[in-house]
C-alpha cells in the first residue's frame, strides 16, 4: 500500500472545451495526500475548488491528467469501478448536511453501511461509536430537523466515515455555521481525522481554520501551490 493515498497529477479541466467561450478551470493541478494528513484547499469563489474536489472524488472526469488512489489509477476506468472506489475509499461532506430527513441521526449513519453489506447491529454499533467521538451520541435517535446546525454537520461527518474510507473530501463544511459553531464542528473533524488516520482535503474560505490544518494548498490560475 502506498504512503500516499491520493495523487492528482497534471489534472486539467475545461468547460465549453473547443468553443469560443472555453474556460480553463484546472490547468495541470498536482497534489499528493498522505494518510493522517489534514490539508486546507483555499481559493476565491469560482476558482475551481469544487471542481477539483469532484474530480478527486471521482464524481467528475478530468479532461487530462490522472487521479490515483493507493497508487492505482482510477482515471478513465469504468463507472462501476469508479463507483466502487467512491463507496469504499472516499467520504464526502458538503456545506449543507444532506441528511435524510425521515431517518434518525443513527439511521443516517447506519444506512450506507447496510447498503455495503454490513449487518444492522454492526452498522448501528459503529454509528454510535462515531457519534460518541464527535460528542452527539445523546442525539442518536433525533431526526435532522431536531438537531442544531452544528449537530447536523457532525452527523454528516459520521455518515461520511461510516464505511471507513481512506479519504475525506469536504467542501466548505463549516461555511453555513456561525463562528463559534464552526470551531466546534472543525474540532470534531480534526478529532475524527486524528483518530482514524484518514487523509482529508478540506475546501474552506476560513483562513483561521485553514491555519490549524497540517498544510495549506492554494488554487491559483488552475494549479495548486503550497501555502
Amino acid at each position: 500500500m502506498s504512503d500516499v493515498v491520493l495523487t492528482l497529477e497534471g489534472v486539467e479541466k475545461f468547460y465549453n472545451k473547443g468553443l469560443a467561450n472555453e474556460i480553463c478551470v484546472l490547468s495541470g493541478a498536482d497534489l499528493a495526500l498522505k494518510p493522517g494528513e489534514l490539508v486546507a484547499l483555499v481559493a476565491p469563489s469560482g476558482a475551481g475548488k469544487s471542481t477539483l474536489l469532484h474530480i478527486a472524488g471521482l464524481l467528475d472526469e478530468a479532461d487530462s491528467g490522472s487521479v490515483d488512489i493507493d497508487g492505482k489509477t482510477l482515471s478513465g476506468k469504468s463507472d462501476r469501478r469508479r463507483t466502487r472506489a467512491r463507496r469504499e475509499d472516499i467520504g464526502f461532506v458538503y456545506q449543507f448536511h444532506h441528511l435524510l430527513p425521515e431517518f434518525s441521526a443513527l439511521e443516517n449513519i447506519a444506512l450506507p453501511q447496510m447498503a455495503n453489506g454490513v449487518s444492522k447491529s454492526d452498522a448501528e454499533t459503529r454509528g454510535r461509536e462515531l457519534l460518541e467521538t464527535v460528542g452527539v451520541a445523546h442525539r442518536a435517535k433525533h431526526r435532522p430537523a431536531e438537531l442544531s446546525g452544528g449537530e447536523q454537520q457532525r452527523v454528516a461527518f459520521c455518515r461520511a466515515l461510516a464505511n471507513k474510507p481512506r479519504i475525506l473530501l469536504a467542501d466548505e463544511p463549516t461555511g453555513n455555521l456561525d463562528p463559534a459553531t464552526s470551531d466546534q464542528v472543525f474540532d470534531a473533524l480534526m478529532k475524527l481525522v486524528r483518530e482514524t488516520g484518514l487523509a482529508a482535503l478540506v475546501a474552506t474560505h476560513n483562513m483561521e481554520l485553514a491555519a490549524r490544518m497540517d498544510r495549506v494548498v492554494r488554487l491559483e490560475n488552475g494549479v495548486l501551490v503550497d501555502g
Side-chain angles (χ1 to χ4, degrees):
M1 188 173 291
S2 172
D3 62 351
V4 176
V5 67
L6 174 67
T7 305
L8 306 183
E9 187 171 345
V11 170
E12 295 187 339
K13 184 66 177 180
F14 299 86
Y15 292 124
N16 304 319
K17 190 172 183 179
L19 302 178
N21 60 341
E22 177 180 283
I23 299 173
C24 178
V25 182
L26 301 173
S27 58
D30 299 318
L31 177 70
L33 199 61
K34 297 180 180 180
E37 189 175 33
L38 184 61
V39 177
L41 171 63
V42 299
S45 295
K49 296 191 302 297
S50 294
T51 298
L52 181 75
L53 289 175
H54 288 169
I55 291 172
L58 307 175
L59 292 169
D60 193 6
E61 281 269 26
D63 290 308
S64 63
S66 64
V67 178
D68 296 5
I69 295 179
D70 280 334
K72 298 177 182 178
T73 299
L74 277 300
S75 302
K77 300 298 183 184
S78 68
D79 287 344
R80 185 174 182 178
R81 177 68 183 90
R82 289 158 60 85
T83 298
R84 190 176 78 185
R86 284 196 302 269
R87 185 177 66 241
E88 296 177 354
D89 297 320
I90 304 170
F92 296 92
V93 179
Y94 300 96
Q95 181 173 345
F96 299 98
H97 58 80
H98 298 302
L99 298 172
L100 298 173
E102 66 270 32
F103 295 101
S104 69
L106 181 59
E107 289 169 335
N108 266 280
I109 302 168
L111 285 171
Q113 298 177 73
M114 294 166 64
N116 220 21
V118 177
S119 70
K120 181 179 179 181
S121 60
D122 287 346
E124 291 184 345
T125 295
R126 175 156 174 78
R128 291 189 187 94
E129 291 171 351
L130 288 167
L131 290 171
E132 182 70 36
T133 298
V134 300
V136 290
H138 62 295
R139 307 289 272 166
K141 294 183 179 180
H142 291 74
R143 294 183 179 183
E146 300 171 311
L147 305 175
S148 70
E151 289 170 338
Q152 290 169 346
Q153 199 64 322
R154 278 179 275 181
V155 174
F157 287 154
C158 294
R159 181 184 58 185
L161 300 188
N163 283 324
K164 301 181 181 179
R166 309 233 19 244
I167 302 160
L168 177 67
L169 302 174
D171 195 355
E172 298 286 354
T174 64
N176 198 39
L177 305 173
D178 64 77
T181 304
S182 177
D183 283 342
Q184 294 172 358
V185 169
F186 184 75
D187 287 343
L189 173 60
M190 287 191 69
K191 187 174 184 182
L192 287 170
V193 170
R194 300 311 183 207
E195 291 190 1
T196 60
L198 83 165
L201 181 63
V202 182
T204 183
H205 281 108
N206 188 324
M207 297 310 298
E208 291 183 4
L209 294 186
R212 294 172 60 189
M213 301 191 212
D214 298 320
R215 61 187 173 100
V216 177
V217 294
R218 296 180 183 275
L219 187 56
E220 297 181 357
N221 299 316
V223 299
L224 290 171
V225 296
D226 290 336

